[in-house]
Amino acid sequence: MTTTAARNSDRRISPVFVGILAVTAVTGWATWTGFAEQPGVAVFLFVTAAWIVSLCLHEYAHARTALHSGDITVGSKGYLSLNPLAYTHALLSIVLPVLFVIMGGIGLPGGAVFIERGRIRGRWKHSLISAAGPLTNVLFAIVCTAPFWLDALDGVPTDFRFALAFLALLQVTAALLNFLPIPGLDGYGIIEPWLSYKIKRQVEPFAPFGLLFVFVLLWWPAVNHVFFDVIDSILASLGISDRQTYCGQDLYRFWQTSDYCSVNG
């Protein structure tokens, strides 16, 4: 009975996550209604809070899949509580991704939860654990873009529409980057179980630098241009124009907002 109580406690949703959800709801309402005197502030808080929610769900998906695959330790580590402070690399999982959004409007993936892979049997299970996180971003992107591809934007305020477009961009970039087969990212985690021991040993030293490599690569203008052309194409197929994502980011960065979106909104 004590074990059951402890297990239930491990899986109880954290008040920290509930607080982030509350911020998302309140600032989303403020963005929708135009309640805030400065709409950019409301958009900034709404998108940031929603982005953190998606990061928590991303890590939760890894942990929950690991739990059902055999790693029963994820609960005691706090990964099932959705508490962002419980992650092994809170800095990589939450702080840096938020900073990347603020600096460049890129949904850069964060660090992963620590899974005890030795407890898990079967290559497919290992691959699924790695895939669960970015698939969560895909699902989040579908939800954000649904009003656009369902043509259900009637009555949706312009600022909220722009905020959703920018949030969708973050989710699509996060999913795409996470699926890259680069050591340290989920894409590599998906294929790693299928690689030979020799290859895995050769690649292992580079895993801690995978995220840094992606970050540096995206600052290379030629790569950045191609990458965002792909992102714009994906979003366009879902009914979101690059003007909408630009205006969303413009509102988000309220401290340097231009007149373009207010004139063309």
Side-chain angles (χ1 to χ4, degrees), residues 46 66 119 156 204 241 246:
F46 169 59
R119 295 175 176 268
V156 178
E204 189 176 359
S241 68
Y246 171 82

Side-chain angles (χ1 to χ4, degrees), residues 58 62 109-110 112 117 123-134 174-211 213-214:
H58 176 112
H62 284 308
R117 297 280 182 170
R123 290 183 291 184
W124 281 107
K125 290 182 180 179
H126 285 281
S127 294
L128 186 58
I129 290 169
S130 295
L176 190 60
L177 290 171
N178 263 296
F179 276 126
L180 292 176
I182 295 175
L185 299 182
D186 292 326
Y188 178 75
I190 294 171
I191 65 171
E192 183 184 24
W194 308 90
L195 300 177
S196 68
Y197 177 75
K198 180 180 178 181
I199 293 176
K200 286 190 283 188
R201 284 297 302 269
Q202 291 175 335
V203 171
E204 189 176 359
F206 300 99
F209 307 104
L211 190 60
F213 172 75
V214 170

